[in-house]
Amino acid sequence: MNDLKRRLAKILAEKSYKEGDFTLASGKKSDYYFDCRQTALHAEGSWLIGNLFFEMIQNMDGAGVGGMTLGADPLVTAVTVISHEKGRPLPGLIVRKQAKGHGTGQYVEGLANFSQGDTVIMLEDVVTTGGSVLTAIERIEAAGLKVAAVCCVLDREEGGRQALEEKGYALHSIFTRKQLVEAARS
């Protein structure tokens, strides 16, 4: 495991990973909660996530990155900034949970940075069942773009990978729960 990943694990364990009794967005009960926003909005955490995602996607076919608001907002921003810094600028887009109630009424923000048919790599903080990212993918494809892959900070290993694969999308994760806990302890 590289130093960036090890450092990110420590910050995630400190700021984002909590054990207890929780109800997830999917409605499932869990003995832990992972609030990635706490790390993604931390200066070093954001920088680490941006670099690790950029490393993960640099050889993928993608004209840019995108994700569902609110969890993906800091992830998309981190990758777009790092991609510019690394000399391979990737624009970003954000998918709204509700269509904009005024103006264009659109679900997807950032489309001016893409052309019809461009390929997007989806970023997600946590994948549990895959439901949120599949909704975001539907909206991106309805806007005339294609999705190359999905990348997440944490794969909870609770069916999301399989749900995405059934729809033809590969899931790449920085960590699984076991990997995160082990890395944070090392």
Side-chain angles (χ1 to χ4, degrees):
M1 175 177 308
N2 71 37
D3 290 339
L4 295 181
K5 200 167 175 180
R6 191 172 292 107
R7 179 63 187 139
L8 178 60
K10 298 237 185 262
I11 296 171
L12 287 167
E14 176 188 326
K15 300 200 174 289
S16 298
Y17 180 85
K18 306 287 182 232
E19 293 186 345
D21 184 27
F22 301 97
T23 302
L24 307 176
S26 65
K28 288 181 151 190
K29 294 294 244 173
S30 178
D31 63 348
Y32 75 100
Y33 183 68
F34 185 73
D35 183 0
C36 188
R37 288 177 301 263
Q38 301 307 314
T39 298
L41 293 169
H42 176 270
E44 183 183 5
S46 177
W47 183 84
L48 289 163
I49 289 169
N51 273 283
L52 288 165
F53 271 149
F54 183 78
E55 183 180 296
M56 184 184 291
I57 68 175
Q58 68 183 339
N59 295 319
M60 291 182 186
D61 177 30
V65 294
M68 180 73 85
T69 199
L70 181 70
D73 293 7
L75 308 178
V76 169
T77 301
V79 172
T80 62
V81 170
I82 294 296
S83 72
H84 176 77
E85 184 179 271
K86 301 275 187 180
R88 184 182 174 226
L90 296 169
L93 55 78
I94 298 295
V95 180
R96 292 174 172 272
K97 292 184 180 178
Q98 307 256 332
K100 193 172 178 181
H102 59 282
T104 59
Q106 63 192 13
Y107 272 110
V108 183
E109 298 294 341
L111 288 173
N113 298 313
F114 293 84
S115 298
Q116 287 290 305
D118 276 352
T119 304
V120 176
I121 298 165
M122 299 298 294
L123 304 179
E124 186 75 13
D125 52 0
V126 183
V127 171
T128 304
T129 64
S132 296
V133 73
L134 285 168
T135 297
I137 288 170
E138 287 174 15
R139 292 177 181 162
I140 285 173
E141 291 178 343
L145 303 173
K146 299 174 191 159
V147 173
V150 177
C151 300
C152 67
V153 176
L154 181 72
D155 175 4
R156 291 180 62 100
E157 298 182 297
E158 295 182 25
R161 179 179 302 275
Q162 294 79 3
L164 288 163
E165 287 174 355
E166 285 174 14
K167 300 286 186 178
Y169 307 105
L171 176 66
H172 307 272
S173 63
I174 296 175
F175 296 107
T176 62
R177 178 188 188 181
K178 181 180 179 195
Q179 291 168 339
L180 175 60
V181 171
E182 288 175 0
R185 289 183 183 146
S186 66

